[in-house]
Amino acid sequence: MVLSRGWSLFLVGVGVWTWVIWPRFAVAIWNDPRAWSAGAVGAGTPTGFGWVHALLIAASLAIGTTVGVLGVRGWRSARRLHA
């Protein structure tokens, strides 16, 4: 299957968007007292709230990276077909 250039660009955009948004969210979760057992940022051990969000962030970054790579590969493939 060959993706069109438009869809390939869309997938690359989704991958970039993922890497713009999720690291900022990770910082917000890190700085949230609910993520720490002592109720203060960085104090104590991570709570379930912190772990669940860490897993969500990791999965989202992995999926976004995969989608972005597929977009780049689709773009390159479409360029070869139109050249």
Side-chain angles (χ1 to χ4, degrees), residues 2-75:
V2 177
L3 294 171
S4 69
R5 287 183 177 180
W7 280 110
S8 296
L9 188 59
F10 173 75
L11 293 177
V12 169
V14 169
V16 169
W17 174 258
T18 299
W19 277 95
V20 168
I21 295 301
W22 287 102
R24 292 180 57 173
F25 186 66
V27 171
I29 294 300
W30 180 271
N31 291 325
D32 192 324
R34 295 175 293 176
W36 303 99
S37 62
V41 176
T45 59
T47 62
F49 175 87
W51 283 115
V52 166
H53 283 87
L55 180 61
L56 173 67
I57 292 163
S60 295
L61 288 173
I63 292 166
T65 300
T66 302
V67 167
V69 168
L70 289 173
V72 168
R73 291 180 68 187
W75 179 267

